[in-house]
Amino acid sequence: MIDLTYLNIISFFLIFFIGLPHGSFDGAVASLIGFKTKYQFTKFVIYYLILFCFVVIFWVNFPIVSLIIFLLMTIVHFGLCDWSFYNVNKNKIPITLAHGMSVIFGIIYFNEEEAFKIFEYLTNNNIYLFKNYIFIAYIITLVLIIYFIYLSLYEKKIRQGIFEILALLIIFYLFDPILSFAIYFCFFHSYKHLKQLITNIYLHIQNKKFVIISTILFTLISWIGSFVVILYLAQNINLYESFLRVIFIGLAALTLPHMFLVDFLYRKKF
């Protein structure tokens, strides 16, 4: 059993109060891609909730499969955000995978024991069998980073990515997996996502009041819902495990509709 430490608390609060609100702009994203009327926006919210509930139910019944799918979705989502941030139209797959895999497997590589302990908490299963094969992911990640460096010789726009990946790997080496994830999620991924999104909101949405109200409302709902579930879970498990389950299973449940909205609809239009 692992107790809640001060660094854990800082990490969880960063994710709750900085990381989660970036997804609360999904109401504005929905408006940008065409869910403009009250009826259309209500349909969007219903679809969003259905996908959210589906992921939670699926995770409860198939935790190991869900964890693997979540890691893969996170790699793709983080990587696509980085690729689009460079504003290049080619080498989408290698750039996406280089960034996404360097984040996920960089954190795991430098914090392997702690990372697999977290995975065990999230799945209620002994998943250490996968640890015997994780080296394959490390090798693929290293090859992709080397290829990314090679691409940067011919594409100036992505050269800053070399320094970013290096900086992230140093962060992952210095800090535990929860704080490493929080730093990337809050100060790298959320920044890039919001920088692009706010520009398009300013240019294409006239009703700025709607953007503010919907974002605040979605943020409050996510905060209140998270703390209610944490208090409920804390009756049977410790606070550390309660926070872990709410944050990462909750993020998985939010990532699926968020990816559909941002990566498959929003990025096509903008």
Side-chain angles (χ1 to χ4, degrees):
M1 180 181 294
I2 300 177
D3 293 324
L4 204 59
T5 65
Y6 286 114
L7 279 182
N8 293 151
I9 293 171
I10 291 170
S11 304
F12 292 143
F13 271 73
L14 283 174
I15 295 170
F16 270 121
F17 295 108
I18 297 179
L20 276 181
H22 100 271
S24 298
F25 277 89
D26 281 358
V29 177
S31 180
L32 275 171
I33 63 171
F35 293 93
K36 296 182 181 296
T37 67
K38 289 182 180 180
Y39 174 72
Q40 290 171 330
F41 192 75
T42 301
K43 282 203 320 184
F44 156 73
V45 173
I46 292 171
Y47 294 151
Y48 208 95
L49 290 174
I50 289 172
L51 286 174
F52 178 89
C53 293
F54 168 77
V55 174
V56 173
I57 294 169
F58 191 85
W59 194 299
V60 170
N61 290 280
F62 308 99
I64 292 181
V65 175
S66 298
L67 176 63
I68 294 171
I69 293 173
F70 173 57
L71 292 177
L72 294 174
M73 286 195 311
T74 305
I75 287 169
V76 173
H77 180 59
F78 286 169
L80 281 174
C81 181
D82 290 320
W83 170 76
S84 63
F85 187 76
Y86 294 132
N87 195 27
V88 293
N89 296 318
K90 52 187 178 180
N91 298 309
K92 179 178 182 179
I93 293 176
I95 291 174
T96 295
L97 293 179
H99 271 275
M101 292 184 72
S102 64
V103 171
I104 299 304
F105 293 111
I107 291 173
I108 296 173
Y109 177 77
F110 290 114
N111 304 274
E112 201 170 83
E113 292 298 327
E114 293 171 278
F116 273 87
K117 193 66 181 176
I118 291 169
F119 295 157
E120 188 174 357
Y121 281 135
L122 293 175
T123 61
N124 287 325
N125 286 279
N126 188 334
I127 61 167
Y128 289 92
L129 174 63
F130 294 97
K131 194 174 180 182
N132 298 327
Y133 304 98
I134 195 73
F135 74 92
I136 298 173
Y138 298 152
I139 293 172
I140 294 172
T141 303
L142 179 60
V143 170
L144 283 165
I145 292 173
I146 293 171
Y147 185 59
F148 179 84
I149 295 171
Y150 168 76
L151 291 175
S152 71
L153 298 176
Y154 303 96
E155 181 60 71
K156 291 182 179 180
K157 289 183 179 180
I158 69 172
R159 288 178 186 173
Q160 69 184 69
I162 299 172
F163 301 100
E164 180 177 314
I165 290 174
L166 178 61
L168 286 170
L169 293 177
I170 293 171
I171 289 169
F172 302 156
Y173 172 76
L174 293 174
F175 300 112
D176 67 69
I178 303 296
L179 184 54
S180 292
F181 177 81
I183 291 171
Y184 173 77
F185 185 55
C186 297
F187 302 112
F188 287 81
H189 175 67
S190 295
Y191 164 75
K192 291 177 181 178
H193 175 71
L194 291 179
K195 183 179 180 181
Q196 296 171 320
L197 178 60
I198 289 172
T199 299
N200 286 320
I201 288 173
Y202 178 78
L203 292 174
H204 300 286
I205 295 183
Q206 294 181 343
N207 189 356
K208 303 299 189 292
K209 183 178 178 181
F210 162 78
V211 175
I212 296 170
I213 293 175
S214 64
T215 302
I216 291 174
L217 184 61
F218 289 166
T219 300
L220 290 175
I221 290 172
S222 64
W223 285 347
I224 293 169
S226 296
F227 283 115
V228 168
V229 176
I230 287 170
L231 292 175
Y232 172 76
L233 291 175
Q235 298 178 48
N236 299 304
I237 55 179
N238 67 5
L239 271 177
Y240 175 77
E241 192 173 347
S242 299
F243 271 99
L244 273 182
R245 291 190 179 187
V246 168
I247 285 177
F248 288 103
I249 297 177
L251 279 178
L254 290 171
T255 297
L256 182 60
H258 181 68
M259 277 188 70
F260 272 117
L261 184 67
V262 174
D263 295 327
F264 300 118
L265 297 176
Y266 170 77
R267 293 200 200 286
K268 285 184 178 180
K269 189 171 182 178
F270 297 97

